[in-house]
């Protein structure tokens, strides 16, 4: 039965190029130019899917991206398995392998079909009503059950092996939709010199023109006119024609997202070609010419395979040379069903009958149908259908219910009217009005720079459509500032059968009449929702899920609205339409992610010393965008062993640490000291040149934002350091105050983070290690005491030397030009062997500072802590009249005794290391009260026990008190202590 | 993605180059210590949450780095006008 339903000639397929393909392990032949749907239909295959909820047999409903039923999985092997593709948009290629989905064990024998028998209990709101209690069933029983029972296709679990491109584009006129309206618009715009982009989702430009066989435009056959128009457009240097490109979202100010499929139609795509391209187009003007979508009729069993939209059947016939069946019946509520009937008749396969809901039909159409031998049944509609996997019989009756009779058929081609595609128009904030003729919403007031044309604007008839496109093209060019051609250009149309899209709104139906095929929503479900009290269409939509599937309700929205409005007893315009949201058609995550994945997900900042650390086998961790060496394990060491060795090395000999990621801002100018004085809590004016101070920065709310050592280099020059992650934030804050609050201050700010690399050298042997390499600086404790600053040279490189310590040991921070850092680092490293040098990472740094009670902003603070809260009250220049945040420190809440305060915690069992984030709870007779949480916790090799810092309510007044620390399933007893665990007298700083 | 005209660069540029910086024309009090608790609370936290034309601050963070003011319609999410710090907008006064 190969291609048994293919007519002998005609269509736009290439009969010289047969293509082999597989569906559900069966081999078939199609032709170049086919979609998977047209090729299946040519082979007599209608039953291709099981529905989402009831697992009902489903066929191919449409011939385009509106398809709700025929979703298939296309398998290119391994990770290249794509589920949920409409067979109607999948272009056939040689060797294509597709399978149906949502069934087990097979399409014909599906255990899930039992759901269809259970439909009385699976109605609208079933999930909400049934899966409520017990609560612990939500994640463990209900959700897995629902997911397994009502699934779409399965996505592969392997990483996506393909890559995806992104392109930004700008144009004067973006035309969405390459049908007659879009092409006419492009022809009008092309001549003006405007930059024009014409995009269409299909494999071939032309839209409805591709399904016209007998119409002539300006004396040329429709196909020839189309070819010559496209030739004109492709030859125009200012016009870009993009195929397989679906505009999925209309965003602010004519910013349009377009997904272009580049390789899915190829049998053997090149590995160098991206699979898809995401276009981000900013257009001066946009013309929406997306046409209209035919609506199903709503009657019992309208979802059976073999029941198809009449317009789709006409497309399969005229464009692909495929018959939907050998004995069709047309069911329609408007003229367009008749066009399909007459085209089928001309192809020698006239339908047996036309069932029209209307009592009166244009006499010309009735006469033509009579001539073709088609029985005309007016004032009647389909009541129900039968046939197991394909429609075999239908029952029709007059509108008043009388005169029931049965008709045999192998296909039922229906038309319930046309719905203009206004999704993008609505997304663009264009308003809509109800059109009584088409029974649909059509574009009304235009948002700026957006135009609608053709059937999408409610314009039908080929001549009118072409003219509407031309006018829109002309108006768009004028609006974009180009000299435009005249607004009218007559298109001469011959051979078109005059047909009106006027349609009555459908009457309420009986039986299992489907409205939303993809989400399995019936007319009865909509009525039930209204009965249960839902009045807004937005609520009815969410309760029944109508229009919420991946097809975005393209075929169902108006039918759902009609049913809801009828049940509510209001007019459709009173009921209103639900809001359209992107995406209009599905877009892959791959296209959205583009190059932003794996190594190119976000930039990784590396220090100059990073490659050396990598050579040494360092383990890294991300800190904001930086990657930092966390520890340097020797053979056989885990992190804890490495940190024990590194920390002991620093405390007993000397350690070297790459601190280059510290943020650095140079603050320069006659008012630099005044500026810092107003910004930071500290008193800066008294700081002498060549001295450093630990600075604390608050927000106006009084909470700590950042901290860091600041050196005064000269009277008018400061070297400010910030936390690694805080540098951009601090610079922004400085700029904000300088530009907007104190523009009178003469201060200039420069980020120098990447100019200076920082080598921190800490430990009793620190001075010995660096001294031999340093020129021009007296390193004696008298000349360079703790918190002093000096400039000189190290091994021939410029040196800014800070005598500071974040470990409690004698410490130096060597700021050297980044380009010299690696050389200096290696020099010091080589010399250090004799002095017991260790290289340490961030983990040891964190431990050493915690042993001293030094905070890390963002770890020991959470954005709601004042300097007082964390024991930094000493840093605050209380004598200053003002600084950023000062006023807030006197707000009543800031003075409460039970504010969270930073304290130490010593566990009862000294070996237990607490969990960071664990809750601190009181143990008194009053019972357990939450007091705060652990912010830092480590094993301290120097102290031979664990140490921890915690924020505890009123903690400083509770020294020596016991608390419980609760983490998941573990409770630990601990005692509140001071925060300085190691060397409380601070003697090591000069050791 | 909206478009923003930087009044210093005088160029209409994509939103990605800019950072929003809160409601405009909230001046830091001359002497915060003289402010009552209520007045200081209002300065810190109380914002207009306007439906309609909203005067707000933006920074051309990936460009010239300057802070400036904008009048944005919070309904249409379109910026009607931008103007430099300490200047008065063409479309009205510099309050709110
Ligand atoms: Zn700028």
């Amino acid at each position: 039965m190969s291609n048994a339903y293919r007519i002998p000639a005609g269509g736009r397929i290439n009969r010289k190029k047969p293509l082999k393909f597989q569906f559900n392990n069966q081999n078939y032949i199609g032709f170049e130019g086919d979609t998977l749907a047209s090729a299946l239909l040519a082979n007599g295959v209608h039953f291709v899917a099981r529905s989402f909820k009831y697992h009902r047999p489903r066929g191919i409903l449409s011939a385009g991206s509106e398809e709700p039923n025929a979703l298939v999985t296309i398998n290119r092997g391994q990770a290249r398995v794509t589920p949920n593709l409409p067979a109607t948009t999948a272009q056939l290629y040689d060797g294509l392998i597709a399978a149906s989905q949502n069934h087990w064990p097979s399409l014909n024998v599906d255990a899930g079909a039992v759901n269809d028998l259970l439909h009385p209990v699976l109605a609208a709101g079933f999930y909400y009503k049934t899966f409520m209690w017990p609560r612990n069933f939500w994640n463990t029983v209900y959700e897995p059950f629902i997911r397994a029972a009502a699934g779409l296709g399965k996505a592969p679990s392997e990483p996506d092996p393909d890559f995806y491109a992104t392109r930004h584009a700008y144009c004067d006129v973006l035309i969405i939709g390459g049908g007659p309206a879009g092409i006419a618009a492009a022809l009008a715009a092309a001549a003006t010199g405007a930059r024009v982009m014409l995009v269409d989702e299909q494999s071939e430009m032309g839209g409805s023109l591709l399904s016209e066989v007998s119409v002539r435009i300006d004396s040329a056959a429709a196909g020839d006119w189309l070819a010559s128009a496209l030739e004109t457009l492709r030859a125009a240097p200012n016009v870009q024609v993009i195929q397989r490109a679906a505009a999925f979202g209309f965003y602010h100010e004519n910013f349009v997202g377009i997904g272009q499929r580049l390789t899915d139609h190829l049998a053997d795509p090149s590995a160098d070609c991206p699979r898809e391209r995401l276009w981000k187009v900013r257009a001066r003007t946009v013309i929406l010419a997306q046409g209209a979508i035919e609506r199903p009729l709503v009657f019992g069993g309208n979802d059976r395979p073999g029941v198809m939209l009449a317009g789709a059947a006409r497309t399969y016939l005229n464009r692909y040379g495929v018959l939907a069946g050998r004995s069709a019946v047309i069911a329609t509520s408007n003229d367009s069903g008749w066009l399909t009937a007459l085209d089928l008749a001309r192809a020698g396969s006239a339908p047996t009958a036309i069932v029209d809901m209307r009592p009166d039909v244009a006499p010309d159409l009735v006469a033509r149908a009579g001539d073709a031998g088609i029985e005309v049944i007016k004032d009647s509609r389909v009541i129900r259908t039968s046939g197991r996997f394909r429609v075999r019989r239908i029952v029709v009756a007059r509108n008043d219910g009388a005169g029931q009779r049965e008709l045999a058929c192998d296909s039922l081609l229906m038309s319930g009217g046309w719905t203009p595609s206004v999704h993008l128009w609505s997304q663009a904030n264009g308003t809509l009005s109800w059109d009584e003729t088409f029974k649909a919403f059509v574009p009304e007031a235009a948002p700026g720079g957006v135009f609608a044309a053709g059937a999408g604007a409610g314009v039908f008839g080929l001549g009118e459509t072409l003219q509407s496109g031309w006018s829109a093209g002309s108006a768009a060019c004028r609006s974009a500032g180009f000299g435009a051609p005249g607004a009218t250009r007559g298109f001469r149309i011959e051979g078109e059968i005059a047909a009106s899209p006027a349609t009555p709104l459908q009457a309420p139906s009986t039986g299992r009449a489907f409205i939303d095929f993809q989400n399995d929503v019936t007319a009865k479900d909509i009525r039930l929702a209204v009965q249960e009290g839902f009045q807004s269409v937005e609520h009815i939509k969410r309760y029944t899920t109508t229009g919420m599937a991946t097809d975005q309700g393209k075929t169902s929205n108006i039918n759902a609205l009609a049913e809801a409005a009828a049940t509510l007893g209001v007019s459709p315009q009173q009921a209103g339409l639900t809001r359209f949201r992107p995406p209009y058609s599905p877009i892959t995550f791959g296209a959205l992610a583009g190059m932003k994945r794996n190594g190119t997900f976000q930039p990784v900042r590396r220090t100059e010393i990073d490659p050396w650390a990598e050579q040494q086998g360092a383990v890294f961790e991300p800190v904001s965008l930086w990657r930092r060496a966390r520890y340097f394990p020797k053979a056989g060491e885990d992190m804890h062993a490495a940190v024990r060795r590194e920390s002991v090395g620093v405390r007993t000999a000397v350690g070297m640490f790459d601190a280059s990621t510290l943020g650095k801002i140079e603050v320069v100018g006659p008012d630099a000291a005044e500026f810092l004085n107003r910004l930071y809590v500290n008193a800066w004016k008294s700081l002498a040149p060549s001295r450093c101070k630990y600075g604390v920065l608050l927000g106006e709310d009084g909470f700590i934002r950042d901290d860091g050592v600041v050196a005064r280099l000269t009277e008018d020059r400061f070297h400010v350091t910030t936390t690694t992650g805080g540098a951009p934030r601090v610079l922004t804050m400085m700029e904000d105050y300088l530009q907007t609050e104190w523009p009178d201050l003469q201060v200039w700010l420069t980020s120098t983070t990447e100019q200076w690399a920082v080598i921190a050298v800490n430990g009793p042997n620190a001075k010995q290690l660096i001294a031999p390499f340093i020129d021009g600086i007296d390193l004696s404790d008298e000349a360079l005491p703790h918190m002093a600053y000096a400039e000189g040279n190290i091994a021939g490189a410029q040196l800014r030397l800070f005598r500071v310590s974040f470990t409690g040991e004698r410490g130096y921070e060597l700021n050297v030009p980044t380009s010299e850092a690696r050389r200096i680092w290696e020099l010091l490293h080589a010399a250090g062997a004799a002095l017991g040098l260790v290289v340490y990472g961030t983990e040891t740094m964190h431990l050493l500072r915690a042993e001293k009670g030094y905070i890390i902003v963002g770890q020991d603070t959470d954005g709601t802590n004042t300097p007082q809260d964390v024991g930094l009250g000493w840093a605050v220049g209380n004598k200053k009249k003002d600084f950023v945040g000062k006023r807030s420190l006197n707000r009543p809440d800031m003075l409460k005794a039970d504010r969270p305060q930073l304290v130490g915690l010593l566990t009862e069992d000294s070996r237990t290391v607490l969990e960071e984030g664990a809750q601190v709870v009181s143990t008194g007779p009053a019972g357990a009260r939450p007091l705060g949480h652990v912010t830092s916790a480590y094993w301290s090799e120097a102290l031979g026990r664990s140490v921890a810092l915690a924020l505890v309510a009123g903690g400083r007044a509770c020294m020596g008190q016991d608390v419980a620390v609760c983490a998941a399933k573990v409770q630990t007893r601990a005692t509140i202590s001071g925060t300085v665990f190691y060397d409380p007298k601070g003697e090591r700083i000069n050791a | 993605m909206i478009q923003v005209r930087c009044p210093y660069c005088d160029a209409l540029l994509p939103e990605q180059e800019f950072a929003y910086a809160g409601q405009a024309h909230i001046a830091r009090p001359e002497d915060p210590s003289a402010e009552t608790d209520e007045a200081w609370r209002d300065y810190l936290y109380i914002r207009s949450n306007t439906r309609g034309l909203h005067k707000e601050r933006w920074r051309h963070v990936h460009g010239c780095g300057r802070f400036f003011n904008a009048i944005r319609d919070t309904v249409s999410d379109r910026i009607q006008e931008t103007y430099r710090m300490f200047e008065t907008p063409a479309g009205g006064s510099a309050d709110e």
Side-chain angles (χ1 to χ4, degrees):
Chain A
M1 62 181 266
S2 175
N3 282 271
Y5 290 83
R6 189 86 67 175
I7 58 173
R12 303 181 66 88
I13 48 161
N14 182 358
R15 290 168 195 262
K16 294 194 188 92
K17 280 260 177 84
L19 305 173
K20 294 189 292 292
F21 73 101
Q22 249 183 36
F23 181 71
N24 284 351
N25 302 315
Q26 282 269 90
N27 292 312
Y28 299 99
I29 303 282
F31 292 109
E32 190 179 78
D34 262 328
T35 62
L36 175 59
S38 67
L40 285 167
L41 290 171
N43 287 283
V45 181
H46 276 256
F47 173 30
V48 296
R50 287 277 181 176
S51 73
F52 182 68
K53 188 159 128 189
Y54 299 120
H55 292 245
R56 286 169 69 92
R58 288 284 166 83
I60 295 161
L61 182 73
S62 75
S65 63
E66 68 270 33
E67 178 61 35
N69 280 344
L71 303 184
V72 300
T73 295
I74 292 186
N75 185 342
R76 284 177 180 264
Q78 291 165 356
R80 290 190 172 90
V81 174
T82 311
N84 312 330
L85 287 171
T88 50
T89 64
Q91 207 178 331
L92 200 66
Y93 56 82
D94 197 43
L96 182 146
I97 298 171
S100 54
Q101 48 193 41
N102 199 29
H103 50 68
W104 182 86
S106 74
L107 186 61
N108 285 345
V109 183
D110 175 16
V114 68
N115 283 5
D116 199 31
L117 303 175
L118 296 174
H119 71 86
V121 295
L122 289 173
F126 158 72
Y127 299 143
Y128 303 120
K129 293 166 188 163
T130 310
F131 298 118
M132 287 179 65
W133 309 106
R135 189 190 175 98
N136 61 1
F137 271 33
W138 287 356
N139 295 332
T140 52
V141 179
Y142 294 147
E143 198 190 316
F145 167 75
I146 293 168
R147 291 216 180 280
L152 289 163
K154 284 192 177 61
S157 52
E158 296 92 340
D160 188 341
D162 292 311
F163 73 100
Y164 299 79
T166 308
R167 193 172 288 178
H168 291 263
Y170 300 83
C171 67
D172 300 307
V173 184
L174 169 64
I175 302 163
I176 298 169
I183 286 172
L187 288 171
T192 68
R195 289 171 304 169
V196 178
M197 288 176 79
L198 172 62
V199 302
D200 188 87
E201 62 182 5
Q202 295 204 38
S203 59
E204 222 183 330
M205 288 281 163
S208 65
L209 290 176
L210 301 170
S211 307
E212 293 295 346
V213 288
S214 47
V215 176
R216 299 179 74 80
I217 306 169
D218 293 345
S219 305
D224 295 338
W225 184 89
L226 173 61
S228 121
L230 289 173
E231 204 173 309
T232 305
L233 293 174
R234 293 211 162 94
N238 56 323
V239 179
Q240 204 174 358
V241 178
I242 306 169
Q243 275 166 218
R244 300 188 185 86
F248 61 84
F250 197 119
Y251 303 93
H252 293 92
E253 298 175 51
N254 295 353
F255 188 67
V256 178
I258 299 168
Q260 185 186 13
R261 284 166 293 129
L262 299 171
T263 61
D264 276 4
H265 63 292
L266 301 173
D268 190 17
S270 153
D272 298 335
C273 186
R275 182 177 175 216
E276 294 175 19
R277 174 177 293 128
L278 175 66
W279 291 82
K280 300 180 177 185
V281 182
R282 178 80 70 181
R284 277 218 166 79
T285 61
V286 181
I287 297 172
L288 299 173
Q290 294 177 285
I293 291 167
E294 200 166 28
R295 298 197 284 269
L297 287 168
V298 184
F299 52 82
N302 62 345
D303 64 326
R304 213 172 286 286
V307 182
M308 182 185 286
L309 292 169
R314 188 162 176 258
T315 290
Y316 286 120
L317 174 69
N318 292 339
R319 181 170 172 187
Y320 301 102
V322 171
L323 292 169
R326 293 276 173 206
S327 62
V329 170
I330 307 277
T332 189
S333 67
N334 65 95
D335 288 357
S336 65
W338 297 71
L339 299 185
T340 302
L342 296 174
D343 277 1
L344 283 170
R346 193 175 40 234
S349 194
T352 53
I354 299 177
V355 182
D356 198 316
M357 280 170 63
R358 301 170 297 178
D360 301 310
V361 180
D364 173 53
L365 291 176
V366 177
R368 283 172 183 255
D371 291 348
I374 306 168
E375 183 189 356
V376 174
I377 308 172
K378 289 191 282 191
D379 192 20
S380 296
R381 54 200 171 98
V382 179
I383 302 291
R384 60 178 177 271
T385 67
S386 58
R388 187 164 172 227
F389 292 143
R390 170 110 178 234
V391 63
R392 294 293 172 209
R393 301 190 156 271
I394 61 172
V395 176
V396 302
R398 279 208 314 273
N399 281 329
D400 61 14
Q404 284 201 11
R405 56 181 282 207
E406 206 172 68
L407 298 173
C409 63
D410 68 351
S411 52
L412 176 57
L413 313 178
M414 60 182 168
S415 176
W418 292 82
T419 306
S421 283
V422 294
H423 293 65
L424 294 186
W425 175 271
S426 170
Q427 288 176 25
N429 283 331
T431 60
L432 300 166
S433 63
W434 178 257
D435 187 305
E436 255 315 293
T437 310
F438 315 128
K439 300 291 183 296
F441 284 97
V442 295
E444 190 187 37
V450 184
F451 304 83
V459 175
F460 291 88
L462 186 51
E464 291 85 346
T465 296
L466 289 163
Q467 177 54 50
S468 142
W470 181 274
S471 311
S474 168
C477 288
R478 236 185 344 270
S479 154
F482 289 82
T488 52
R489 175 202 179 289
F491 292 89
R492 199 153 33 81
I493 308 298
E494 298 160 86
E496 188 181 24
I497 298 172
S500 160
T503 190
L505 204 57
Q506 293 180 49
S509 55
T510 53
R512 313 269 326 268
F514 282 84
I515 283 183
D516 182 330
F517 290 70
Q518 197 181 347
N519 266 355
D520 265 351
V521 180
T522 63
K524 199 176 160 193
D525 288 326
I526 307 263
R527 293 197 292 272
L528 181 65
V530 173
Q531 280 159 26
E532 293 188 356
F534 293 93
Q535 305 220 334
S536 151
V537 287
E538 293 284 1
H539 293 155
I540 293 167
K541 162 181 152 180
R542 282 157 182 78
Y543 191 59
T544 61
T545 73
T546 189
M548 289 172 67
T550 60
D551 68 348
Q552 289 277 288
K554 291 183 182 69
T555 54
S556 64
N557 281 335
I558 295 295
N559 284 344
L561 171 65
E563 194 72 46
T567 316
L568 286 164
V570 300
S571 66
Q573 65 265 47
Q574 280 175 299
L577 204 55
T578 57
R579 176 95 183 154
F580 291 105
R581 294 189 179 81
Y584 171 68
S585 47
I587 175 87
T588 63
F589 282 116
L592 293 175
M595 298 304 285
K596 290 197 181 73
R597 58 183 209 170
N598 301 331
T600 48
F601 176 67
Q602 62 177 15
V604 176
R605 301 177 77 180
R606 291 183 166 87
T607 72
E608 194 71 8
I609 294 153
D610 177 281
W612 183 92
E614 188 167 301
Q615 280 171 20
Q616 301 287 315
V619 175
F620 292 90
E621 66 170 341
V623 182
S624 66
L625 288 180
W626 291 97
R627 84 164 195 168
R628 303 193 70 178
R630 191 174 185 192
Y631 57 98
F632 291 82
K634 301 271 186 214
E637 280 184 342
D638 63 5
M639 183 175 82
H640 297 292
V643 168
R644 279 199 299 275
R645 176 181 49 74
E646 291 172 12
S647 63
V648 168
V650 176
R651 296 247 180 262
T652 58
V654 59
M656 207 159 81
F657 174 68
D658 178 9
S660 302
T661 63
L662 275 181
K664 301 162 207 90
I665 300 167
E666 196 124 322
V667 180
V668 184
D671 297 319
E674 171 65 20
F675 176 66
L676 290 179
N677 219 44
R678 293 185 192 184
L679 208 60
Y680 279 73
V681 303
N682 319 69
W684 295 101
K685 292 193 167 170
S686 58
L687 183 68
S690 298
R691 285 289 179 274
C692 304
K693 196 186 268 272
Y694 169 71
V696 179
L697 180 68
L698 310 184
E700 288 289 9
D701 53 17
F703 298 134
I704 295 172
R705 292 290 193 278
D706 204 79
D707 69 347
V709 169
V710 178
R712 187 168 199 169
L713 311 188
T714 59
E715 276 297 326
D716 64 352
R717 186 175 290 264
F718 292 81
H719 178 127
V720 176
T721 67
T722 73
T723 56
T724 291
R729 224 166 27 235
V730 173
L731 184 59
T732 293
M733 186 172 162
M734 286 181 170
E735 284 287 356
D736 194 349
Y737 278 90
L738 193 55
Q739 289 182 31
T740 70
E741 292 292 350
W742 309 317
D744 51 310
L745 293 185
Q746 290 204 54
V747 178
W748 290 269
L749 306 168
T750 309
S751 165
T752 54
T753 302
E754 296 191 334
Q755 182 181 346
W756 297 105
V758 183
I759 302 169
V761 181
N762 281 258
N765 297 342
K767 188 161 87 176
Q768 267 170 280
L769 174 63
I770 63 172
F773 302 99
I774 290 181
D775 299 313
I777 298 175
D778 181 351
L779 292 176
S780 71
D781 287 353
E782 294 71 38
L784 192 76
H786 182 56
M787 298 306 274
Y789 167 84
E791 290 176 15
N793 287 287
I794 179 163
Q798 191 189 355
L799 173 65
R800 285 183 172 182
L801 182 63
F802 290 67
R803 172 93 196 265
V804 291
S805 171
F806 200 41
T807 61
E809 302 297 330
R810 171 183 290 276
Y812 299 89
E813 287 188 358
L814 285 61
N815 285 251
V816 297
T818 295
S819 57
E820 299 277 10
R822 175 83 184 262
R823 181 174 68 87
I824 309 287
W825 177 276
E826 291 193 42
L827 272 179
L828 293 172
H829 185 253
L835 297 167
L837 174 73
V838 294
V839 174
Y840 65 99
T842 52
E843 193 65 26
T844 292
M845 178 268 282
H846 283 161
L847 160 65
L848 296 173
R849 64 88 205 175
E851 288 173 343
K852 290 293 295 175
Y854 299 149
I855 66 159
I856 289 184
V857 172
Q859 177 168 344
D860 301 298
T861 69
D862 61 8
T864 64
N865 310 107
T866 67
Q868 284 291 347
D869 294 343
V870 296
L872 293 176
W874 57 267
V876 179
N878 284 316
K879 287 189 201 133
K880 291 202 294 182
K881 185 164 181 296
D882 187 24
F883 56 82
V884 170
K886 182 172 200 282
R887 175 65 185 81
S888 290
L889 297 180
N890 290 320
R891 296 185 67 219
D893 265 36
M894 303 301 205
L895 305 170
K896 285 186 174 165
D898 64 346
R899 285 191 61 78
Q901 293 174 335
L902 193 73
V903 295
L905 287 182
L906 294 170
T907 50
E908 190 177 63
D909 176 353
S910 64
R911 290 165 305 179
T912 304
V913 178
L914 293 172
E915 218 174 286
E916 287 172 1
Q919 293 299 303
V920 179
V921 176
S922 66
T923 56
R929 257 179 328 111
L931 296 175
H933 69 278
V934 176
T935 61
S936 296
Y938 306 91
W939 171 258
S940 165
E941 190 69 9
L943 297 162
R945 61 157 302 127
S946 75
V947 296
L949 297 171
L951 282 167
V952 173
R956 271 202 295 278
C958 305
M959 291 298 144
Q961 284 185 21
D962 286 347
V963 292
V965 180
C966 307
K969 294 179 184 161
V970 193
Q971 215 186 69
T972 313
R973 290 182 75 83
T975 306
I976 295 178
S977 74
T979 56
V980 185
F981 302 101
Y982 182 78
D983 183 27
K985 289 188 185 149
E987 292 161 345
R988 304 285 309 162
I989 217 84
N990 289 312
Chain B
M1 185 165 59
I2 64 172
Q3 301 185 97
V4 184
R5 177 173 296 277
C6 172
Y8 294 94
C9 298
D10 195 24
L12 188 66
L13 298 161
E15 186 185 347
Q16 279 170 315
E17 292 197 15
F18 298 85
Y20 180 72
Q23 189 176 327
H25 307 303
I26 299 173
R28 187 172 192 269
E30 204 57 47
D31 180 9
S33 63
E35 299 288 311
T36 63
D37 283 338
E38 290 70 27
W40 186 250
R41 173 205 61 201
D42 290 356
Y43 163 71
L44 285 180
Y45 298 118
I46 304 302
R47 297 295 180 264
S48 67
N49 196 23
T50 305
R51 185 181 192 277
L53 296 181
H54 184 241
K55 297 204 176 88
E56 57 197 29
R57 305 178 339 134
W58 287 75
R59 185 182 184 211
H60 193 188
V61 62
H62 298 298
C64 65
R66 304 296 295 265
F67 284 84
F68 57 88
N69 296 316
I71 302 177
R72 183 173 58 96
D73 186 332
T74 59
V75 177
S76 66
D77 205 13
R78 271 188 185 245
I79 290 185
Q80 203 174 66
E81 182 186 350
T82 54
Y83 52 103
R84 298 179 178 199
M85 278 295 151
F86 312 110
E87 284 182 357
T88 310
S93 65
D95 53 291
E96 207 33 26

